[in-house]
Amino acid sequence: MRKKRAQKKDGNHSQASHNGTPELSRKEQRKLERKRVRNRQAVIQYATTVAIISAIIALVASFVLEPKLGIGAGLAIACLALSARFPRYAIYGFIFYLPFSGTVTYALGGSAILQLAKDAIFFPALVAVVLFCAKYKQPLIIPAALKIPLIIYGTFLTAVFLFVNGSQQLSNSGGIPLLVGVLGIKALVGYLLLITCIYYLIRTKQDLYFLLRSQVVLIIICCGLALLQYLMLKTGYCQGTIGTGDELFKASLDSRCLVGGALLYAPAQGQIRLPGTFVAPWQWGWFLISSAFFTFGTSFSDRSPLWRILGLVSMAMVFIMAVLSGQRIALALVPFVIILLLFLTGQILNLKRFLPIGIALAVILGIAAIQYSEVVTQSFESFQSRWNAAPPQTFIIEQIEWAINKQRGLLGRGLGRATNAARTFGDTVLVETYHSKVLYEIGPIGLFLMLGVYTVLVITTFKAYRSIKDPNLRGYGASMFTFVLFISYFPYYYPLDVDPVNVYYWLAAGIALKLPDIDRQERLRQSEEEDSARKLTKKELKQLKKSQAAVEFK
């Protein structure tokens, strides 16, 4: 009898070991359950305390200032406290909140402080990530190849901040040049460590798919709200742009409708510039361009047929809103991005997936084009007239020449001096191409160092995606690499300077750099299931062991 029990126990232990989970005694199970209960109670107690304190602050601030500012202050305190305590959820919240930040900002009054609300979510979580890396001796700069270029670049930015912005502060040149410089640094590298956050946030294949699928859901919701915004303007539910002269050609907050911020809707003048859920119309245009990369990845590379269909729906909505929103740059670049991805990812040769998606997308867009034929014609005419009036190549050259002529020494005119977000603290200028803007602020050496950092990131993301064996993960990696490549050297406008590209750029890089680890994890799991470790080379096993040695970031 004892022998049978021993055999049964050995069998259970063997089965548990085979499943990768060690068998626990009843005492250990009860101890683990008590620990879970204590943790749950601690979380509830902490969240309740934060909620009460935030509510009190909001109530007091509402009486002293005004209700909207009071609510904003209470939410800011809650975000800071909860983000520092639960950084994993804060990073998710930061990514999910970004597309709706403009809507929330103007729903609460449109204060300039509210436009920085998302930073109250991200930076406390970032501090937690830095402390995590220091405690468990995990790398903070990812990839490792970025470390030296980033140190050199950071040293140069510090020199510009001290010698240029510092001298402006001492000479009383007006405003607060040091704060202008701080916002200038934030615009250049403020979200770079989002790569590290994403690297530790994504632990398994399930985490990866959750993040990528969430992006598709967010895109569908945002495009749905923007479509509703357009229909409310078209039917007269929202008034649209009214006035005379120049007022009919400028986006205004007075015309705000349902979501987002300033918009322009004067179809009689051939002027439609919708902001969607963002602060300004051109930010919405770049959201649509960025979304083309994420929707393409899900449409072609998700392992689930249902999510591939949802990816196709989101891609079609991005195309439709690129036309209806009146964003010329989105109208030009969204189709270009999809065609570029088809060739760079090799999906154009994958007829089994390409043909169904291509036919379905063509049918959806054909119906939409017939339904809104006037808007389509108007958008293409607007794009053509803009191109003829100011060809992009001419505009780019003019901006670079202007920035060169404005140089004063090798350190530039000062950090933040061409950053729109810094205008509250000092004089700034509007430079409408990103590389010219960087040249104006930190000079030719700074521009060269910045391009060096971006080039290293492009090379490492390329190597990462090329090392992936799983075809689905490889497809996602190709999409993310192409996004990093496209934005790094894109010469027109300044997408890396403001939302949402200043976040999505580093998000895409973080995903691309994590994918090889996920791929090795999956192949190791398959190797264990098939009792054949030969599928991984010794080098890959060593890399996997190193990646799994990291303590989970909670």
Side-chain angles (χ1 to χ4, degrees):
M1 191 71 167
R2 291 179 181 175
K3 186 176 181 180
K4 288 183 179 180
R5 287 178 182 173
Q7 288 176 346
K8 185 176 181 181
K9 185 175 181 180
D10 290 342
N12 291 339
H13 178 75
S14 176
Q15 182 67 28
S17 299
H18 177 73
N19 293 334
T21 55
E23 185 181 13
L24 298 176
S25 65
R26 290 185 179 180
K27 183 178 180 180
E28 289 172 330
Q29 290 176 356
R30 287 195 297 269
K31 184 178 179 181
L32 185 61
E33 183 60 30
R34 286 195 297 270
K35 184 178 180 181
R36 288 173 180 168
V37 171
R38 285 197 301 271
N39 289 340
R40 194 180 304 119
Q41 289 174 345
V43 169
I44 294 172
Q45 184 178 1
Y46 183 84
T48 302
T49 304
V50 169
I52 293 172
I53 294 174
S54 300
I56 293 172
I57 292 173
L59 187 63
V60 172
S62 297
F63 281 110
V64 174
L65 302 172
E66 60 177 79
K68 288 183 178 180
L69 288 178
I71 294 171
L75 289 174
I77 296 298
C79 287
L80 288 168
L82 293 174
S83 297
R85 179 66 175 80
F86 309 109
R88 280 184 58 82
Y89 297 109
I91 295 167
Y92 277 125
F94 170 70
I95 296 169
F96 297 162
Y97 171 74
L98 179 63
F100 306 102
S101 58
T103 299
V104 174
T105 295
Y106 286 108
L108 295 176
S111 169
I113 297 176
L114 290 172
Q115 294 183 19
L116 302 175
K118 68 180 187 302
D119 296 333
I121 303 174
F122 173 69
F123 284 105
L126 177 60
V127 171
V129 173
V130 173
L131 294 176
F132 161 81
C133 292
K135 182 177 180 180
Y136 296 106
K137 295 180 173 57
Q138 296 300 307
L140 180 63
I141 304 301
I142 297 172
L146 197 63
K147 188 173 183 179
I148 293 176
L150 191 58
I151 289 173
I152 297 172
Y153 184 44
T155 303
F156 183 82
L157 292 181
T158 303
V160 175
F161 180 76
L162 293 176
F163 292 111
V164 181
N165 293 83
S167 64
Q168 292 171 356
Q169 183 73 47
L170 293 175
S171 64
N172 296 318
S173 58
I176 312 176
L178 290 180
L179 287 180
V180 173
V182 169
L183 290 178
I185 293 175
K186 175 182 172 291
L188 291 173
V189 295
Y191 298 111
L192 184 146
L193 288 180
L194 181 60
I195 295 176
T196 309
C197 297
I198 294 300
Y199 189 85
Y200 293 118
L201 176 72
I202 301 173
R203 299 168 298 182
T204 64
K205 197 173 185 178
Q206 288 68 34
D207 289 341
L208 172 70
Y209 277 106
F210 173 76
L211 179 60
L212 292 168
R213 290 168 177 176
S214 297
Q215 281 297 111
V216 167
V217 173
L218 289 172
I219 291 165
I220 291 174
I221 293 172
C222 290
C223 288
L225 290 170
L227 179 59
L228 187 57
Q229 182 184 68
Y230 170 78
L231 294 175
M232 291 173 71
L233 288 162
K234 183 176 177 62
T235 57
Y237 188 87
C238 288
Q239 192 172 18
T241 302
I242 57 173
T244 58
D246 291 343
E247 294 176 352
L248 294 173
F249 297 88
K250 293 181 179 179
S252 171
L253 283 172
D254 295 332
S255 305
R256 182 178 180 271
C257 178
L258 183 65
V259 291
L263 66 78
L264 170 62
Y265 186 79
Q269 308 296 325
Q271 297 295 314
I272 299 177
R273 304 288 183 272
L274 304 186
T277 57
F278 282 82
V279 171
W282 78 272
Q283 289 180 347
W284 172 248
W286 277 101
F287 171 76
L288 295 174
I289 296 165
S290 303
S291 297
F293 292 91
F294 289 98
T295 58
F296 183 93
T298 300
S299 298
F300 284 93
S301 302
D302 198 284
R303 60 186 175 180
S304 167
L306 174 62
W307 281 101
R308 287 201 296 270
I309 292 172
L310 288 174
L312 173 63
V313 171
S314 62
M315 191 190 299
M317 294 185 73
V318 167
F319 267 96
I320 292 169
M321 292 316 303
V323 176
L324 297 184
S325 298
Q327 293 300 307
R328 290 183 291 254
I329 194 165
L331 181 64
L333 290 184
V334 167
F336 172 79
V337 163
I338 299 300
I339 294 171
L340 179 67
L341 285 168
L342 283 171
F343 283 96
L344 290 184
T345 62
Q347 291 293 348
I348 197 167
L349 300 177
N350 186 4
L351 298 180
K352 186 177 178 181
R353 285 194 180 179
F354 170 66
L355 285 179
I357 292 175
I359 293 170
L361 189 61
V363 170
I364 294 171
L365 295 179
I367 294 172
I370 295 171
Q371 183 73 23
Y372 301 102
S373 58
E374 293 183 2
V375 179
V376 173
T377 303
Q378 186 182 80
S379 297
F380 277 102
E381 289 177 351
S382 175
F383 174 78
Q384 187 177 13
S385 63
R386 174 66 177 178
W387 183 286
N388 293 333
Q393 65 276 13
T394 304
F395 179 71
I396 293 167
I397 292 171
E398 289 175 351
Q399 289 276 293
I400 293 174
E401 289 177 346
W402 176 87
I404 292 173
N405 293 332
K406 290 291 183 179
Q407 289 301 299
R408 291 181 182 174
L410 296 177
L411 298 181
R413 301 293 295 267
L415 284 160
R417 288 302 183 183
T419 301
N420 192 43
R423 66 187 184 278
T424 305
F425 302 108
D427 296 332
T428 61
V429 298
L430 177 62
V431 185
E432 295 186 75
T433 57
Y434 185 70
H435 299 90
S436 301
K437 176 250 188 188
V438 175
L439 178 61
Y440 178 85
E441 286 192 352
I442 58 177
I445 297 175
L447 177 61
F448 176 77
L449 294 176
M450 182 209 72
L451 289 174
V453 170
Y454 290 168
T455 300
V456 170
L457 195 58
V458 167
I459 293 171
T460 52
T461 51
F462 174 76
K463 289 180 177 179
Y465 116 75
R466 293 293 294 177
S467 70
I468 300 169
K469 302 295 189 295
D470 183 287
N472 291 329
L473 295 179
R474 190 181 177 91
Y476 270 123
S479 298
M480 298 300 101
F481 156 71
T482 307
F483 184 44
V484 173
L485 173 67
F486 180 78
I487 295 298
S488 293
Y489 305 111
F490 188 77
Y492 198 58
Y493 279 118
Y494 45 104
L496 264 171
D497 208 34
V498 292
D499 301 338
V501 180
N502 62 348
V503 172
Y504 287 161
Y505 177 81
W506 309 109
L507 170 64
I511 293 172
L513 293 168
K514 184 64 178 182
L515 284 172
D517 282 349
I518 301 296
D519 181 52
R520 285 190 287 269
Q521 285 179 17
E522 288 300 302
R523 288 196 288 134
L524 178 62
R525 181 184 61 80
Q526 292 172 6
S527 297
E528 289 176 345
E529 289 177 355
E530 298 172 7
D531 195 26
S532 173
R534 287 177 296 178
K535 291 196 172 197
L536 292 177
T537 65
K538 289 182 179 180
K539 182 179 178 181
E540 289 174 325
L541 284 169
K542 185 178 179 181
Q543 290 175 331
L544 179 61
K545 186 177 180 181
K546 183 179 178 181
S547 67
Q548 288 182 332
V551 180
E552 284 191 357
F553 176 49
K554 298 180 180 179

